[in-house]
Amino acid sequence: KQEVTQIPAALSVPEGENLVLNCSFTDSAIYNLQWFRQDPGKGLTSLLLIQSSQREQTSGRLNASLDKSSGRSTLYIAASQPGDSATYLCAIEGGGSNYKLTFGKGTLLTVNP
Amino acid sequence: NAGVMQNPRHLVRRRGQEARLRCSPMKGHSHVYWYRQLPEEGLKFMVYLQKENIIDESGMPKERFSAEFPKEGPSILRIQQVVRGDSAAYFCASSLNRGLNYGYTFGSGTRLTVV
């Protein structure tokens, strides 16, 4: 059974700081890994999708990496802004299913002006 | 494209009542997924449907919960005889084909409160 863990559970940083969010998973037989952003009371916004054959993806100030062998992914946010404040979720598509996502509990990020 | 539409946004039900949650997928999407987010918990998969078919309901509680995705109209998640433990945010997602590679998009959720 796939288990996804995200650390830290919460992170508070000053504006402008670079930061790293961590995601670990127990079963390396994955199809894809997706990072989402969730704002309070809102739905999930897709950030970066990494396919199992890929090592990283980049979009603007965001960079996500994937190391299947160690069961780890990181989300790097450069030059953080107050608007980046949200909960960041890591989700794994795998375990014999190419549609069912297993989520971590998320990292609550607060960027202080 | 209006995205995945869920309604209502907030729903309050008394214990023992029925809750009906609706999800209209993105235009052209025929695959629908429901997830539940309990307080302080991660999102958990409930059910995967295609038009008129339940493909995987392995995450659905065995009793009181049902889901459908008819040929016409939105997907419906129905919870009968609600209890306080059903209070949660229920999210729907849709995709063009099966899986994350096909535009898997989430709605804003329905927040169910059972009093």
Side-chain angles (χ1 to χ4, degrees):
Chain A
K1 177 186 173 185
Q2 180 73 272
E3 293 184 3
V4 180
T5 303
Q6 291 187 245
I7 53 173
L11 181 63
S12 181
V13 301
E15 182 177 3
E17 192 161 299
N18 302 326
L19 57 101
V20 174
L21 307 180
N22 297 289
C23 171
S24 62
F25 48 95
T26 55
D27 184 352
S28 61
I30 70 171
Y31 290 102
N32 296 294
L33 183 147
Q34 174 84 54
W35 282 94
F36 291 94
R37 168 186 173 138
Q38 184 176 25
D39 292 280
K42 301 286 181 63
L44 280 67
T45 301
S46 297
L47 295 176
L48 291 168
L49 171 66
I50 309 179
Q51 298 178 339
S52 62
S53 59
Q54 297 174 324
R55 296 299 299 270
E56 66 176 339
Q57 283 287 338
T58 298
S59 175
R61 294 183 294 108
L62 305 180
N63 175 276
S65 67
L66 172 63
D67 184 342
K68 282 201 321 179
S69 62
S70 66
R72 295 178 187 275
S73 175
T74 61
L75 179 66
Y76 175 82
I77 302 177
S80 58
Q81 303 171 357
D84 295 331
S85 298
T87 297
Y88 290 80
L89 301 173
C90 169
I92 301 289
E93 182 181 55
S97 156
N98 65 337
Y99 54 84
K100 184 187 304 185
L101 304 185
T102 303
F103 284 84
K105 292 185 180 181
T107 294
L108 175 60
L109 173 64
T110 303
V111 181
N112 301 299
Chain B
N1 195 333
V4 178
M5 304 301 292
Q6 290 190 249
N7 64 81
R9 293 293 301 276
H10 300 274
L11 181 62
V12 179
R13 284 288 177 266
R14 296 186 183 278
R15 282 177 295 170
Q17 290 185 319
E18 178 178 286
R20 289 168 62 93
L21 288 62
R22 295 175 182 76
C23 169
S24 296
M26 287 184 68
K27 186 175 181 180
H29 286 192
S30 59
H31 299 250
V32 167
Y33 320 82
W34 286 92
Y35 289 80
R36 178 166 68 172
Q37 186 175 35
L38 292 165
E40 309 303 322
E41 295 291 325
L43 280 83
K44 305 286 187 191
F45 169 83
M46 299 182 75
V47 62
Y48 164 40
L49 310 104
Q50 295 179 27
K51 283 285 187 181
E52 300 185 276
N53 289 301
I54 297 174
I55 307 302
D56 180 351
E57 56 182 349
S58 60
M60 291 272 275
K62 293 292 185 284
E63 298 178 349
R64 301 187 297 107
F65 284 71
S66 63
E68 63 177 7
F69 187 17
K71 185 176 180 180
E72 300 291 337
S75 175
I76 305 289
L77 180 67
R78 181 183 292 111
I79 311 172
Q80 296 178 304
Q81 300 175 333
V82 296
V83 301
R84 288 222 171 101
D86 297 332
S87 295
Y90 292 83
F91 290 94
C92 163
S94 73
S95 63
L96 187 63
N97 207 328
R98 181 180 291 205
L100 276 175
N101 290 317
Y102 296 96
Y104 208 111
T105 303
F106 280 83
S108 297
T110 293
R111 281 144 186 89
L112 172 66
T113 302
V114 179
V115 298

